Amino acid sequence: MIKPFEKVIELGDGRTITIETGKLAKQADGSVVVKMGNTYLLATVVSAKEAKPDVDFMPLTVEYKEKYAAVGRFPGGFQKREARPSDYEILVSRLIDRALRPLFPDDYHADTFVTVNLISADDEILPDQLAGLAASACLAVSDIPFNGPISEVRVARVGGELLVNPTATQLKEADMDIIVAATLENIMMVEGEMSEVSEAELLEAMKVAHDAIKVQCQAQIEMMEALGKTEKREYCHEENDEELEKKVWEATYDKAYAVAKSANPNKHERIDAFGAIVDEFIAENYPEDSEEEAPVGLIKKYYHDVEKEAVRKVVLDEKFRLDGRKTNEIRPIWSEVDYLPGPHGSAVFTRGETQSLTTVTLGTKLDEKLIDDVMNKSYERFLLHYNFPPFSTGDARPARGISRREIGHGNLAFRALKRMLPENYAYTVRIVSDILESNGSSSMATVCAGTLALMDAGVPVKKPVSGIAMGLITDKESGKFAVLSDILGDEDHLGDMDFKVTGTRDGITATQMDIKVDGLSYEVLEQALNQAKAGRMHILDKLEETITEPREDYKPHAPRIVNFDIPKDMIGSVIGPGGKIIQEIQATTETVITIEEEGNIGKVAISASNKASIDAAVAKVKAIVAVPEVGEVYRGKVKSIVPFGAFVEILPGKDGLLHISEIEWRRLEKVEDALKEGEEVEVKLIEVDQRTGKLKLSRKVLLPKPERKEKPKKD
């Protein structure tokens, strides 16, 4: 039997994480199994020995996959095998990717594939908080160049206490849930949701996370040293021409600086102006009649660095940005609600050159989403979908399915808004954000437009939520830095940080941060958070100029829902054999009825497009569950006639005997002399047999009693 190498990490509370290598998947460049309890993650990495021609970026692919066998389950569907990745798997893949990608050397361009498989699962130990550690550890035991290691942990606040990698049960009670990725020295990524926490509380949680990550990074370093994996492979993925690079810088830097300083708010005009500089350089130095072919790829690579440096210097030295704004200035905002007549709520939110058209659809329990993931089988009644079509950035290309980016941005907006929906809300809610224009932070535009559309739909949100994306420009040599509010797309691409923060007036509800530079201090993060708060308040003011609170009522065409409880033992009576009774009620009243069992109660929800239909359905259901009371008068239908009386249905499914002697005051020879089948009559419940539960009815007690005729007196 193979004896693997193991490294044990103490979490400080009696729990441990074990990293095992040398046993599984040995043909990969790096392979580890990370174990915590019964949760096992197999992480592998393979990187090509050579880069493909003309590749000038890091072609990294990260896949997180969950095996249904890990929890002893069969996959759903006809094929009964794992298929396309779930949203959860995509989101975990993105968490890993965003932490790893900035740490590969800038000149490393070989195809690299990191795969993390959940091969055994524990209901209480969440795999997403171990996935980043597993991915980094497999890189650590490989010879692939990587400026790590990193690790990721979850920090949750439960009952005021910050817990590292809490259990699934503990997480359900948390009012803060963040995942943090970091190296030994620096935080790289933060993502999470919270219930209106302060900036100081978020910073404290990040520090707790980093302290735990340092221990895990040190363990990986010790493992690398023990295995002799500190030396990494040699590579050469770039061809450089120092003379050409110098020539490009000298000829184009001043021109690029001038364009960066021109304060043009139009994105496409700026792009064209920057592009004209490099085109002019190529035309001047490599004319069409020249025998020398222009090395266009190298020239554009060097010019990209020129443009990046020029933009950053203008911000740091001139104190203003590409579009002329100050560092803390928000672009012009306009918004409106009720733009579309068809949806149940709609809004347009535009900030600068970023625009979201967002709709809200209200549905019933039948519209909720079934989640059938490996670790999570449940229902979701709040959905948010984000779409980013190519035309939003002026790109001439087809739209092909939903991208990982769209799933990630939609999830951030979902987390920002979900805690502001009312608890135990009767409706299933779907928000759809279609990005019509994009130049920076369309996910934050989705949060703002989502808030407006919810209020337009009449959803009683607890508080409005706004969001803002922050950026950062730093210069290590001079020590200068600038925190940028409401960043442009170019500032995101050329800057050192993308930090999105959403919240109400009372605190933060969600955040997502990606840091691309080493040595970012907590003081800079604190300034960014405080500047973001000021920006959020400004945007909230703008939202409240459009709509101040949720509408008092839903739109006329929105479904109406009435909720009430019935005894658990009456659920079967309402549904009926094979669903016959509930289907009949729905058909005759044009309603949708759902019943959900909760403890000893049946939760009934009745929806329709008008009040009359709901009232009719409510009456029918309540009649079924009503308990007949002695002394009450009912209008019932004669269901059958027998020689000794008639059986009358006084409530749905509840018949009573109307004895022939109780039909009228006069003596009847036959029941048919007074009643016929199908006839409706008023009867009074006069007795319930305590032993059999049979109902005894009387009709005659509701009729005037005839006066007795006095016999004539005898003379």
Side-chain angles (χ1 to χ4, degrees):
M1 180 178 289
I2 294 174
K3 184 172 177 60
F5 176 89
E6 290 188 345
K7 184 69 179 178
V8 178
I9 301 171
E10 301 284 345
L11 293 182
D13 57 2
R15 296 179 299 161
T16 61
I17 300 171
T18 301
I19 306 174
E20 172 190 283
T21 187
K23 187 171 186 177
L24 302 184
K26 296 191 299 297
Q27 293 190 45
D29 289 331
S31 168
V32 299
V33 176
V34 170
K35 307 174 184 179
M36 185 175 178
N38 290 334
T39 294
Y40 286 33
L41 293 171
L42 169 63
T44 63
V45 60
V46 178
S47 189
K49 295 298 188 289
E50 301 293 337
K52 292 178 180 177
D54 302 322
V55 174
D56 62 352
F57 62 95
M58 176 58 201
L60 172 67
T61 301
V62 176
E63 295 283 356
Y64 171 77
K65 299 178 180 179
E66 295 189 334
K67 305 295 184 181
Y68 279 82
V71 289
R73 285 181 56 201
F74 275 83
F78 181 76
Q79 296 290 342
K80 295 298 179 187
R81 68 176 297 166
E82 289 82 2
R84 64 175 296 276
S86 66
D87 285 1
Y88 176 75
E89 289 171 310
I90 289 171
L91 292 169
V92 176
S93 297
R94 280 174 53 85
L95 287 175
I96 301 168
D97 186 300
R98 286 160 46 206
L100 297 183
R101 188 175 294 274
L103 294 174
F104 285 93
D106 292 339
D107 59 351
Y108 189 76
H109 304 318
D111 284 323
T112 303
F113 295 85
V114 175
T115 304
V116 181
N117 287 312
L118 176 67
I119 56 175
S120 178
D122 185 315
D123 289 343
E124 285 296 310
I125 300 173
L126 300 167
D128 58 353
Q129 58 202 24
L130 301 172
L133 169 62
S136 176
C138 73
L139 280 162
V141 302
S142 77
D143 66 343
I144 299 168
F146 180 63
N147 299 321
I150 63 104
S151 191
E152 293 179 354
V153 301
R154 168 179 272 112
V155 171
R157 190 171 67 180
V158 181
E161 182 183 0
L162 292 171
L163 306 177
V164 174
N165 287 354
T167 64
T169 300
Q170 290 171 328
L171 191 61
K172 291 176 182 177
E173 306 299 321
D175 65 356
M176 183 194 305
D177 171 16
I178 64 171
I179 286 186
V180 179
T183 65
L184 200 60
E185 296 84 14
N186 305 303
I187 288 180
M188 303 301 299
M189 186 275 300
V190 181
E191 174 140 357
E193 63 183 81
M194 49 225 77
S195 297
E196 298 180 283
V197 306
S198 69
E199 286 70 17
E201 289 170 321
L202 177 57
L203 273 175
E204 182 187 3
M206 290 164 62
K207 291 175 182 177
V208 168
H210 198 190
D211 287 342
I213 287 170
K214 289 175 183 177
V215 175
Q216 298 181 13
C217 288
Q218 185 60 43
Q220 292 177 70
I221 293 170
E222 293 170 4
M223 183 173 64
M224 289 168 62
E225 293 171 347
L227 294 169
K229 293 292 185 179
T230 54
E231 295 295 324
K232 303 300 180 180
R233 71 177 65 162
E234 293 184 0
Y235 64 94
C236 182
H237 296 164
E238 289 186 354
E239 294 181 6
N240 286 296
D241 185 332
E242 293 182 5
E243 186 177 339
L244 176 61
E245 182 179 14
K246 182 180 179 182
K247 190 174 181 180
V248 170
W249 274 82
E250 290 176 347
T252 63
Y253 180 80
D254 289 342
K255 295 176 182 178
Y257 192 94
V259 172
K261 192 178 175 181
S262 65
N264 188 339
N266 187 288
K267 177 179 76 170
H268 291 288
E269 289 180 4
R270 285 197 311 272
I271 291 172
D272 291 342
F274 279 122
I277 296 172
V278 72
D279 291 342
E280 181 184 341
F281 176 86
I282 293 171
E284 288 179 353
N285 291 275
Y286 303 92
E288 292 183 5
D289 57 356
S290 171
E291 294 183 2
E292 185 181 1
E293 187 176 347
V296 175
L298 270 181
I299 292 171
K300 289 189 174 181
K301 172 191 168 185
Y302 296 144
Y303 178 68
H304 175 271
D305 295 338
V306 169
E307 185 180 321
K308 179 177 180 178
E309 182 66 13
V311 170
R312 295 164 66 89
K313 282 293 184 184
V314 168
V315 173
L316 292 173
D317 297 342
E318 307 286 346
K319 303 300 181 187
F320 68 88
R321 299 152 69 178
L322 281 170
D323 57 358
R325 283 182 293 149
K326 298 175 183 177
T327 56
N328 63 349
E329 191 174 349
I330 312 298
R331 287 172 289 177
I333 293 171
W334 70 264
S335 60
E336 65 176 277
V337 294
D338 202 21
Y339 178 73
L340 301 173
H344 301 144
S346 65
V348 180
F349 177 84
T350 306
R351 185 189 59 245
E353 293 177 304
T354 296
Q355 184 178 76
S356 169
L357 173 62
T358 293
T359 60
V360 167
T361 305
L362 303 177
T364 68
K365 186 181 185 302
L366 299 178
D367 298 304
E368 63 188 11
K369 177 185 177 182
L370 168 64
I371 299 173
D372 190 18
D373 295 340
V374 172
M375 298 287 290
N376 178 20
K377 191 167 185 179
S378 61
Y379 290 91
E380 179 59 66
R381 302 191 72 174
F382 175 45
L383 312 175
L384 192 150
H385 297 138
Y386 164 101
N387 300 312
F388 192 85
F391 66 76
S392 66
T393 51
D395 289 341
R397 58 181 174 84
R400 292 285 186 265
I402 304 300
S403 69
R404 289 187 171 200
R405 178 183 179 277
E406 287 171 297
I407 290 173
H409 279 43
N411 182 66
L412 175 59
F414 166 82
R415 301 176 90 173
L417 293 170
K418 76 173 188 179
R419 293 178 185 242
M420 290 300 109
L421 263 67
E423 295 174 8
N424 302 317
Y425 192 47
Y427 289 90
T428 297
V429 180
R430 182 186 183 222
I431 297 176
V432 178
S433 171
D434 290 302
I435 303 303
L436 307 186
E437 294 182 51
S438 179
N439 184 14
S441 193
S442 52
S443 62
M444 297 297 93
T446 296
V447 173
C448 298
T451 291
L452 294 172
L454 285 168
M455 292 198 289
D456 179 53
V459 177
V461 293
K462 298 173 185 176
K463 298 170 189 175
V465 181
S466 69
I468 188 170
M470 309 297 294
L472 178 70
I473 303 290
T474 60
D475 184 351
K476 281 189 176 181
E477 292 182 5
S478 66
K480 293 180 180 178
F481 71 91
V483 177
L484 310 179
S485 297
D486 180 25
I487 56 174
L488 302 169
D490 288 343
E491 292 171 334
D492 181 6
H493 173 62
L494 301 173
D496 299 321
M497 179 178 73
D498 176 13
F499 192 178
K500 300 181 178 75
V501 189
T502 73
T504 68
R505 293 196 182 277
D506 297 319
I508 300 169
T509 59
T511 187
Q512 183 183 92
M513 179 175 68
D514 293 301
I515 296 175
K516 312 164 193 175
V517 64
D518 291 339
L520 191 62
S521 68
Y522 284 105
E523 288 74 23
V524 174
L525 287 176
E526 184 176 14
Q527 178 176 328
L529 280 167
N530 289 331
Q531 195 167 312
K533 181 178 181 180
R536 287 194 345 258
M537 298 305 111
H538 170 78
I539 296 169
L540 280 171
D541 289 341
K542 292 294 183 181
L543 297 182
E544 290 177 359
E545 289 176 8
T546 301
I547 185 170
T548 56
E549 57 187 20
R551 297 190 187 281
E552 293 184 359
D553 196 9
Y554 302 111
K555 300 291 176 67
H557 59 290
R560 307 290 164 139
I561 297 180
V562 169
N563 294 280
F564 57 93
D565 298 338
I566 63 173
K568 178 183 176 180
D569 58 6
M570 296 303 298
I571 295 176
S573 301
V574 176
I575 294 174
K580 181 180 178 181
I581 293 176
I582 196 169
Q583 289 172 11
E584 181 183 353
I585 297 173
Q586 290 180 115
T588 56
T589 60
E590 297 183 344
T591 58
V592 175
I593 304 173
T594 62
I595 305 177
E596 192 172 5
E597 189 177 312
E598 190 175 295
N600 292 320
I601 293 173
K603 296 281 188 180
V604 180
I606 301 179
S607 63
S609 58
N610 62 81
K611 187 175 184 297
S613 294
I614 288 180
D615 289 345
V618 168
K620 286 179 178 291
V621 173
K622 288 190 173 181
I624 293 172
V625 302
V627 177
E629 295 184 24
V630 174
E632 286 292 316
V633 176
Y634 299 93
R635 186 166 187 81
K637 181 183 289 187
V638 178
K639 301 292 286 186
S640 62
I641 292 177
V642 292
F644 52 84
F647 286 98
V648 180
E649 184 181 53
I650 60 171
L651 291 171
K654 294 181 176 65
D655 297 347
L657 174 62
L658 179 60
H659 193 269
I660 190 171
S661 63
E662 294 292 337
I663 295 175
E664 292 186 356
W665 290 103
R666 66 188 175 100
R667 179 182 175 85
L668 294 175
E669 296 296 330
K670 295 188 301 182
V671 176
E672 289 86 350
D673 292 342
L675 299 175
K676 58 184 178 181
E677 286 189 9
E679 180 182 357
E680 290 189 353
V681 293
E682 281 195 343
V683 292
K684 186 175 184 178
L685 179 60
I686 56 175
E687 184 182 344
V688 178
D689 190 297
Q690 297 299 314
R691 185 173 60 86
T692 64
K694 291 181 178 180
L695 310 179
K696 296 181 180 180
L697 308 174
S698 175
R699 177 172 175 260
K700 74 179 183 182
V701 295
L702 302 176
L703 301 175
K705 187 175 182 179
E707 293 182 7
R708 291 184 62 182
K709 293 182 180 180
E710 293 185 7
K711 293 181 180 180
K713 293 181 179 181
K714 293 181 179 181
D715 293 333

